[in-house]
Amino acid sequence: MSSPEAGRLYEKLKKEAEASGYILNPDKDLVTDLMEGLVTNKQRYGYLSCPCRLADGIREKDLDLICPCDYRDADLDEYGACYCALYVSEEVAAGKRELTQVPERRNAESSKTAKTNDQETTRLTGHGIPVWRCRVCGYLCARPEPPLKCPICKADKDRFERF
Amino acid sequence: MSSPEAGRLYEKLKKEAEASGYILNPDKDLVTDLMEGLVTNKQRYGYLSCPCRLADGIREKDLDLICPCDYRDADLDEYGACYCALYVSEEVAAGKRELTQVPERRNAESSKTAKTNDQETTRLTGHGIPVWRCRVCGYLCARPEPPLKCPICKADKDRFERF
Amino acid sequence: MSSPEAGRLYEKLKKEAEASGYILNPDKDLVTDLMEGLVTNKQRYGYLSCPCRLADGIREKDLDLICPCDYRDADLDEYGACYCALYVSEEVAAGKRELTQVPERRNAESSKTAKTNDQETTRLTGHGIPVWRCRVCGYLCARPEPPLKCPICKADKDRFERF
């Protein structure tokens, strides 16, 4: 049984996910637990820190862990789910791919993400990331891989090209 | 009378279109036929191949024909409708512009679109396409012409500038 | 009491705002007046010219004043509200920040915005504006400041980096 706050958060995240081509895990019990965790973190820290990770409590240090976290899309791409399995790929949602434990991506990238305010680092990070173009609508984004769905026209990943 | 699958697909496409500033043809009979065609193609090929064109049956070869096709936006821009007339411009939807037969754009561009996986070609294609910026919200996209509506803030085409 | 046209416009703008991470002023009376003004301007000029400013009546000259105006996002960023206070920031909507009179930004920028069709100027304008990248989803936009919310994944402003 979920609190009213958790229920409202779920409705909000679901609507936002659908609008942008993302999918919440159809496992209602799991998602309810995650919503309660997010609501607790919001009350505790003032922001929706990831319910599956230990927050520092200082927004600047937790920026990459605020849901949706900086690692969601890379994890969706590689494992079909984010670290919490709150967001899943179409294949996982349809039961065509099994959920596996998603390893923590943060450590591998921590030296980079810890320096958000370091202009020098940010610029280098930015420049190293490829830009992708949706061949259908022209949407541009800068990510290691194209998104699973174009957030604008919902075209699949294989309809993106390097730009 | 439409099948439940066609009805669900219609609701999904309509919602997605509205969210991104696109418009489905208000002619319900035509659209119902197109939905049935899309559902049939999905069952036959595994993807929503254009109901008005002959598919090859191999996803890689039909990529540009998956609905919305790679030619939709250029056709909307020039003719006020896509090849199937599933998507129409605001003027056509409001009856201020008449629907005309939309010529097949694919042949003219086929040499380009056939080589999606050829890095060299893709890069050239990308670079030859202008980037447009919405003066209202800063949205960036790469297309021959700006979109009829900004998918983010719904500003009209004439509020975009070359970037 | 509002006209049916104003009511429909309100529903449309509210839905579009939510989908893109913008917020309409919760003050229903104020917003109703603004909707009536917009509907009047639409009938008078053929486009949704800002209800709080004097329009010229020629679309090309009023382009920057069509709602949402070219100044909305900069004003939201600096004052927590657009010139009309139709759009407000999350803090203003939640009553955590007070509404203040928003000074007219148009005059300061008029020499620039008046020349929309001047290719030379447009290109310079474009190049002077920084590109921002959402660290969560890779969304790219070109604006003086990042948006308050990523229109794609709803991440907050501080999760954008210069690109």
Side-chain angles (χ1 to χ4, degrees):
Chain A
M1 203 167 124
S2 81
S3 68
E5 288 82 10
R8 276 197 296 273
L9 181 62
Y10 171 72
E11 289 306 327
K12 182 170 174 284
L13 295 186
K14 186 160 182 280
K15 207 172 148 189
E16 290 177 2
E18 279 171 6
S20 305
Y22 291 91
I23 303 168
L24 293 190
N25 196 324
D27 179 342
K28 218 35 204 304
D29 288 343
L30 171 84
V31 171
T32 300
D33 283 349
L34 293 173
M35 292 301 115
E36 298 291 357
L38 283 167
V39 165
T40 301
N41 283 351
K42 172 83 176 175
Q43 287 163 347
R44 193 177 287 163
Y45 307 121
Y47 45 86
L48 295 167
S49 192
C50 175
C52 308
R53 284 150 164 150
L54 200 60
D56 184 279
I58 299 168
R59 186 179 169 97
E60 287 67 36
K61 294 196 177 174
D62 292 335
L63 267 186
D64 59 318
L65 293 188
I66 297 176
C67 183
C69 70
D70 282 14
Y71 316 105
R72 176 188 63 173
D73 288 19
D75 284 337
L76 274 174
D77 206 64
E78 194 167 343
Y79 304 104
C82 71
Y83 186 64
C84 292
L86 173 57
Y87 292 93
V88 295
S89 72
E90 213 169 15
E91 286 177 311
V92 167
K96 289 178 192 161
R97 180 177 173 181
E98 229 173 313
L99 264 183
T100 52
Q101 180 97 25
V102 175
E104 173 60 279
R105 188 178 294 271
R106 195 190 198 195
N107 297 327
E109 301 190 19
S110 62
S111 59
K112 195 174 72 195
T113 55
K115 301 185 201 160
T116 316
N117 296 320
D118 180 342
Q119 274 276 13
E120 203 62 30
T121 311
T122 304
R123 209 171 299 135
L124 282 172
T125 306
H127 284 183
I129 298 174
V131 174
W132 299 97
R133 174 184 176 266
C134 171
R135 297 177 65 92
V136 178
C137 71
Y139 175 71
L140 295 174
C141 54
R143 317 159 31 111
E145 294 276 325
L148 295 177
K149 293 265 180 200
C150 170
I152 303 302
C153 72
K154 309 297 182 289
D156 286 325
K157 179 179 175 174
D158 56 3
R159 300 184 74 188
F160 276 82
E161 63 182 5
R162 273 292 283 271
F163 189 67
Chain B
M1 204 169 124
S2 80
S3 68
E5 288 81 12
R8 277 196 296 271
L9 181 60
Y10 171 72
E11 291 306 327
K12 182 170 173 285
L13 294 187
K14 186 160 182 282
K15 206 172 148 191
E16 289 178 1
E18 280 171 5
S20 305
Y22 291 91
I23 303 169
L24 292 190
N25 196 324
D27 178 341
K28 215 41 203 297
D29 288 343
L30 172 83
V31 170
T32 300
D33 283 349
L34 292 172
M35 292 302 115
E36 296 292 358
L38 282 169
V39 166
T40 302
N41 283 350
K42 172 83 175 175
Q43 286 162 347
R44 194 176 289 161
Y45 306 121
Y47 45 87
L48 296 167
S49 193
C50 175
C52 307
R53 284 152 164 148
L54 201 60
D56 184 279
I58 298 168
R59 185 179 170 97
E60 287 67 36
K61 294 196 177 173
D62 292 334
L63 266 187
D64 58 319
L65 295 187
I66 297 175
C67 183
C69 70
D70 282 14
Y71 316 106
R72 176 186 65 172
D73 287 20
D75 285 337
L76 273 175
D77 206 64
E78 195 167 342
Y79 304 104
C82 71
Y83 186 65
C84 292
L86 173 57
Y87 292 93
V88 295
S89 72
E90 214 169 13
E91 287 176 310
V92 167
K96 290 178 190 162
R97 179 177 175 181
E98 229 173 310
L99 263 184
T100 52
Q101 180 96 26
V102 175
E104 173 59 278
R105 187 179 293 271
R106 195 192 198 193
N107 297 328
E109 303 190 18
S110 61
S111 60
K112 195 175 72 196
T113 54
K115 303 186 199 156
T116 317
N117 296 319
D118 180 343
Q119 274 274 14
E120 203 62 31
T121 311
T122 305
R123 210 172 297 137
L124 281 171
T125 306
H127 284 183
I129 299 173
V131 174
W132 300 96
R133 174 184 175 267
C134 172
R135 296 177 66 90
V136 178
C137 70
Y139 175 71
L140 295 174
C141 54
R143 317 159 31 109
E145 295 275 325
L148 296 176
K149 294 266 179 201
C150 170
I152 303 302
C153 71
K154 308 297 182 290
D156 286 326
K157 179 179 175 173
D158 56 2
R159 301 184 74 189
F160 276 82
E161 63 182 6
R162 274 291 284 270
F163 189 67
Chain C
M1 201 170 124
S2 81
S3 68
E5 288 82 11
R8 276 196 295 272
L9 181 60
Y10 170 72
E11 290 305 328
K12 182 171 173 284
L13 294 186
K14 186 160 182 283
K15 206 172 147 188
E16 290 177 1
E18 279 171 5
S20 305
Y22 291 92
I23 302 168
L24 293 189
N25 196 325
D27 178 342
K28 213 43 199 301
D29 288 344
L30 171 85
V31 170
T32 300
D33 284 350
L34 293 172
M35 291 302 115
E36 296 292 357
L38 282 168
V39 166
T40 301
N41 284 350
K42 172 82 177 176
Q43 286 162 348
R44 193 177 287 160
Y45 307 120
Y47 45 87
L48 295 168
S49 192
C50 175
C52 307
R53 283 152 165 148
L54 201 60
D56 184 279
I58 298 168
R59 185 179 169 98
E60 287 68 36
K61 294 196 177 174
D62 292 335
L63 266 188
D64 58 319
L65 295 187
I66 297 175
C67 184
C69 70
D70 282 13
Y71 316 106
R72 176 186 65 172
D73 287 19
D75 285 337
L76 274 175
D77 206 63
E78 194 167 345
Y79 305 104
C82 71
Y83 185 64
C84 292
L86 173 57
Y87 291 94
V88 295
S89 71
E90 213 169 15
E91 286 177 311
V92 167
K96 289 179 192 161
R97 179 178 175 180
E98 230 173 311
L99 263 182
T100 52
Q101 179 95 27
V102 175
E104 173 60 280
R105 187 178 294 271
R106 196 191 198 194
N107 297 328
E109 302 191 18
S110 62
S111 59
K112 194 176 71 195
T113 55
K115 301 185 201 159
T116 317
N117 296 319
D118 180 342
Q119 274 275 12
E120 203 63 31
T121 312
T122 304
R123 210 171 300 137
L124 281 171
T125 306
H127 283 182
I129 298 173
V131 174
W132 300 96
R133 174 185 176 266
C134 173
R135 295 178 66 90
V136 179
C137 70
Y139 175 70
L140 295 174
C141 54
R143 316 159 33 110
E145 295 275 326
L148 296 176
K149 292 265 180 201
C150 171
I152 303 303
C153 72
K154 309 298 182 289
D156 286 326
K157 179 179 174 172
D158 56 2
R159 302 184 72 189
F160 276 82
E161 63 182 5
R162 274 291 285 271
F163 189 66

